């Protein structure tokens, strides 16, 4: 999917390349025309989509106002007629080449299907089992996404199957819900063939939610700080998947793993830094099998990043940052977190990880990694200013040493990048 920011950067680059004589003006014009054909702005279809949604909203409001007075068969007939009409309009628009309008109509039909399931259950007083209803919505949405190539229906399918898994998890107080993959894997297969970024993010988040429920009933039961290490390992895997996909031109869906992995890393490392500075909370969590599983996936993934990346100056600082972040829970498990050395080590590791993300983002031209590193660095400084490492003098010494190391790193960065960059004749 070609975003607006990418188009603007590309247009600016084309103007510059033509001005410098690196690209003929005719080629630049052909590139612009190709981009316009691939993803031009379709105002009529967009307005038609909004108009259809408004009409559907008016029908829903009218039915809701007269719902109690309608016989059951009339209610059921209205649901079926509305569903058939929405999907029929979608199929006709799809055949006519109006993909955006067809997607809006099929999405509306999928929403009618979901509302119909809830209303039928209410009319006939069926047993209250909303997770089962969510699974039916997911199945129906998957069929619509397959038959009508609807992106909106596919997003609804991911949301519904995530709700289904959450409902079963809550009912069983944390039991593993493997039937989730009976719907997720076909939906993931469909999502890999789509270019819509919302579909990609929905696929990534649905899996992330299931993985978050894997440790059991941590929400209502006893929370263990070992879960932070599990989250850190999974976040590292997400970052690697996204980074390799960006660097190697992999599937667009995998690139959506990158921002969510970075957000998770920032959150977990910030919590770890807050914990290490609080004597009542700086205790190690339990090292359960999920921690070993997450680290067993993360470490080989980081090694694969170093092996597969085309640019070492991008992969090396990113891998360093990820490995540094993974060391943080090990300091807690070592039992040396209460004293001043443990606090300084954890704070230093988090700052090193933040700087590594910034260097990787700048070197690889990946702005989201650079912004994530900058945000993590700023959060760490704010946390350290709010909760001191030992005395104020100890904190002053820590900042002084960290600043001196950064200046030394800045002085040697040019030589480091020169060594990591291949010579011009070898390119």
């Amino acid at each position: 999917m070609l975003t607006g920011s990418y188009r603007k950067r590309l247009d600016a680059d084309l103007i510059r390349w033509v001005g410098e004589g690196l690209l003929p003006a005719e080629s630049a014009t052909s590139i612009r025309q190709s981009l316009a054909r691939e993803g031009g702005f379709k105002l009529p279809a967009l307005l038609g989509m909004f108009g259809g949604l408004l009409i559907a909203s008016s029908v829903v409001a009218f039915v809701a106002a007269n719902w109690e007075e309608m016989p059951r068969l009339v209610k059921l007939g209205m649901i079926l007629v509305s569903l058939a009409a929405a999907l029929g309009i979608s199929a006709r628009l799809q055949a006519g080449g109006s993909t955006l309008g067809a997607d809006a109509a099929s999405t509306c039909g999928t929403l009618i299907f979901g509302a119909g399931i809830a209303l039928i259950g209410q009319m006939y007083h069926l047993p209250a089992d909303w997770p089962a209803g969510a699974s039916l919505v997911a199945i129906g949405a998957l069929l619509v996404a397959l038959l009508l190539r609807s992106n909106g229906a596919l997003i609804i399918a991911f949301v519904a199957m995530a709700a289904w898994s959450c409902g079963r998890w809550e009912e069983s107080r944390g039991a593993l819900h493997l039937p989730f993959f009976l719907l997720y894997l076909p939906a993931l297969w469909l999502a890999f063939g789509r270019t819509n970024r919302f579909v990609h993010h929905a696929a990534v988040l649905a899996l992330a939610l299931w993985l978050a429920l894997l440790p059991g009933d941590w929400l209502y039961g006893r929370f263990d700080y070992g879960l932070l290490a599990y989250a850190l390992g999974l976040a590292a895997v997400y970052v690697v998947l996204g980074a390799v996909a960006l660097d190697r031109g992999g599937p667009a869906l995998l690139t959506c793993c990158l921002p969510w992995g970075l957000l998770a890393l920032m959150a977990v490392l910030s919590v770890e830094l807050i914990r290490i500075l609080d004597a009542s909370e700086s205790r190690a969590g339990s090292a359960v099998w999920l921690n070993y599983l997450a680290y067993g996936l993360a470490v080989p993934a980081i090694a694969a990043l170093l092996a597969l990346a085309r640019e070492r100056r991008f992969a090396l600082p990113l891998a360093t940052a990820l490995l540094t972040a993974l060391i943080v829970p090990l300091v807690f498990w070592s039992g040396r977190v209460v004293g001043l050395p443990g606090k300084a080590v954890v704070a230093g590791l988090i700052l090193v990880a933040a700087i590594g993300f910034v260097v990787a983002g700048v070197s690889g031209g990946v702005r989201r990694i650079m912004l994530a590193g900058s945000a993590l660095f700023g959060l760490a400084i704010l946390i350290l200013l709010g909760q001191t490492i030992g005395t104020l003098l100890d904190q002053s010494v820590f900042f002084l040493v960290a600043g001196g190391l950064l200046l030394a790193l800045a002085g040697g960065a040019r030589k480091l990048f020169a060594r990591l960059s291949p010579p011009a004749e070898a390119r």
Side-chain angles (χ1 to χ4, degrees):
M1 182 180 180
L2 301 176
T3 61
S5 59
Y6 171 76
R7 291 173 181 276
K8 291 177 182 178
R9 291 200 313 271
L10 181 59
D11 190 60
D13 288 338
L14 289 175
I15 294 173
R16 179 169 58 85
W17 293 336
V18 171
E20 295 175 358
L22 300 175
L23 185 70
E26 295 79 8
S27 299
T29 303
S30 299
I31 293 174
R32 292 190 181 96
Q33 292 174 349
S34 175
L35 291 177
R37 288 193 302 269
E38 186 172 345
F41 182 67
K42 301 174 181 178
L43 180 60
L46 188 62
L47 295 178
M49 180 185 71
F50 288 142
L53 291 176
L54 287 174
I55 293 173
S57 300
S58 70
V59 173
V60 170
F62 173 78
V63 172
N66 301 277
W67 187 255
E68 295 298 331
E69 290 77 17
M70 294 180 183
R72 286 184 178 179
L73 290 178
V74 174
K75 296 176 182 178
L76 185 59
M78 290 187 65
I79 293 172
L80 294 176
V81 169
S82 299
L83 177 61
L87 297 182
I89 292 172
S90 174
R92 184 168 182 176
L93 291 174
Q94 185 76 29
S98 179
T99 55
L100 189 57
D103 200 356
S106 58
T107 302
C108 183
T110 306
L111 293 173
I112 291 173
F113 175 71
I117 290 176
L119 292 174
I120 290 172
Q122 181 188 38
M123 285 189 298
Y124 293 96
H125 306 290
L126 298 179
D129 186 6
W130 70 264
S135 66
L136 291 177
V137 173
I139 293 172
L142 268 178
L143 291 175
V144 174
L146 175 63
L147 298 175
L148 298 177
R149 295 194 56 81
S150 171
N151 292 322
L154 190 52
I155 293 172
I156 293 173
F158 280 118
V159 174
M161 66 182 69
W164 172 45
S165 192
C166 286
R168 294 299 184 222
W169 178 83
E170 184 180 9
E171 289 177 352
S172 61
R173 290 297 180 182
L176 189 64
H177 186 243
L178 289 176
F180 167 81
F181 289 98
L182 294 177
L183 297 181
Y184 181 77
L185 291 178
L188 183 64
W189 175 72
L190 290 177
F192 269 111
R194 306 296 170 87
T195 58
N196 188 285
R197 298 297 282 175
F198 291 108
V199 171
H200 296 164
H201 283 290
V204 168
L205 287 176
L207 180 60
L209 179 60
W210 187 88
L211 291 172
L213 301 179
L214 190 58
D217 189 19
W218 55 266
L219 186 60
Y220 301 102
R222 185 179 68 87
F223 178 81
D224 191 279
Y225 281 121
L227 293 176
L228 295 176
Y230 169 69
L232 203 59
L234 292 183
V237 174
Y238 262 53
V239 171
V240 170
L241 288 175
V244 172
L246 276 177
D247 183 71
R248 304 290 300 184
L253 186 147
L254 292 181
T255 63
C256 292
C257 295
L258 181 60
W260 299 111
L262 291 171
L263 283 174
L265 275 170
M266 289 170 53
V268 173
L269 290 177
S270 297
V271 172
E272 293 284 52
L273 184 56
I274 292 172
R275 288 204 310 124
I276 196 71
L277 299 176
D278 189 341
S280 62
E281 297 294 335
S282 58
R283 59 182 183 273
S286 302
V288 296
W289 68 272
L290 284 173
N291 301 133
Y292 298 111
L293 174 64
Y295 272 59
L297 294 174
V299 174
I302 295 172
L305 170 66
L306 290 171
L308 297 176
R310 291 183 296 183
E311 292 192 27
R312 289 185 59 204
R313 50 189 266 164
F314 164 68
L316 186 58
L318 181 59
T320 303
L322 292 174
L323 287 174
T324 304
L326 292 177
I327 295 174
V328 171
L330 303 182
V331 179
F332 282 88
W333 288 328
S334 69
R336 303 179 181 275
V337 296
V338 179
L340 179 61
K343 297 179 180 180
V345 168
V346 169
L349 288 173
I350 292 175
L351 290 177
V352 169
I355 295 167
F357 287 132
V358 172
V359 174
V362 173
S363 303
V366 185
R367 188 182 180 189
R368 68 194 71 176
I369 298 179
M370 185 269 292
L371 291 176
S374 301
L376 178 60
F377 189 86
L379 282 172
I381 295 299
L382 289 176
I383 293 170
L384 290 172
L385 289 175
Q387 296 176 272
T388 58
I389 301 178
T391 65
L392 288 175
L393 181 60
D394 294 330
Q395 185 160 358
S396 175
V397 172
F398 173 80
F399 282 136
L400 177 63
V401 173
L405 291 175
L406 274 181
L407 290 177
L409 179 63
R414 181 173 299 180
K415 294 181 180 179
L416 176 64
F417 287 161
R419 292 184 61 185
L420 292 175
S421 300
E425 59 270 13
R427 295 179 183 177

